[in-house]
Amino acid sequence: KDPTESVRLEREIDVASGENKIILVYGKIARGGFAGEHTHRGNEMRVLLTGSLTMSMHQNTEHYEKGNYFFEPANTHMMKVEGDKNQDTSFIIFEQGLAHELDDIYHPGG
């Protein structure tokens, strides 16, 4: 099993303005896995369903457990996420951003 983060599109919700949209995504980090440094194009609200994770961002480190939620602003951070060593960490993400940018991520090539 690859211990890196896997994220799949679950559902899209279009915002009325047409230029923006909200994406609902289910993600999972296998036990002991991690997501390396990266940024996000959209603003995110993340809710942990199982496990835990430690996130380092702007020289701050935060630990989150099952049931916790947190906000990640767009394009303002580089973060590294380390998953729970004893179990998979799963979460849902509500990501809001420009429709064409989110489509590039979740629907590459069309």
Side-chain angles (χ1 to χ4, degrees):
K1 192 172 188 179
D2 185 358
T4 58
E5 180 179 22
S6 64
V7 177
R8 61 187 168 93
L9 179 65
E10 283 291 309
R11 184 174 177 192
E12 290 184 20
I13 305 166
D14 288 323
V15 177
S17 73
E19 292 182 20
N20 291 287
K21 69 167 47 174
I22 297 172
I23 302 287
L24 173 63
V25 179
Y26 171 82
K28 183 171 126 180
I29 302 174
R31 65 184 65 190
F34 67 94
E37 289 189 355
H38 61 282
T39 60
H40 296 277
R41 292 186 187 181
N43 296 306
E44 291 187 359
M45 175 63 72
R46 188 177 300 224
V47 181
L48 266 63
L49 302 174
T50 63
S52 64
L53 62 79
T54 301
M55 182 173 71
S56 298
M57 179 171 58
H58 296 304
Q59 300 178 341
N60 294 320
T61 300
E62 298 286 338
H63 184 77
Y64 300 98
E65 301 282 337
K66 173 183 172 182
N68 291 156
Y69 62 90
F70 53 95
F71 177 73
E72 297 176 38
N75 298 321
T76 59
H77 64 278
M78 293 294 284
M79 60 180 252
K80 179 180 178 184
V81 179
E82 295 184 36
D84 193 314
K85 289 180 178 26
N86 299 311
Q87 67 177 328
D88 292 348
T89 298
S90 62
F91 46 86
I92 55 173
I93 300 169
F94 299 89
E95 186 168 359
Q96 180 273 326
L98 293 173
H100 71 276
E101 289 184 350
L102 295 180
D103 286 342
D104 286 348
I105 297 168
Y106 297 106
H107 301 291

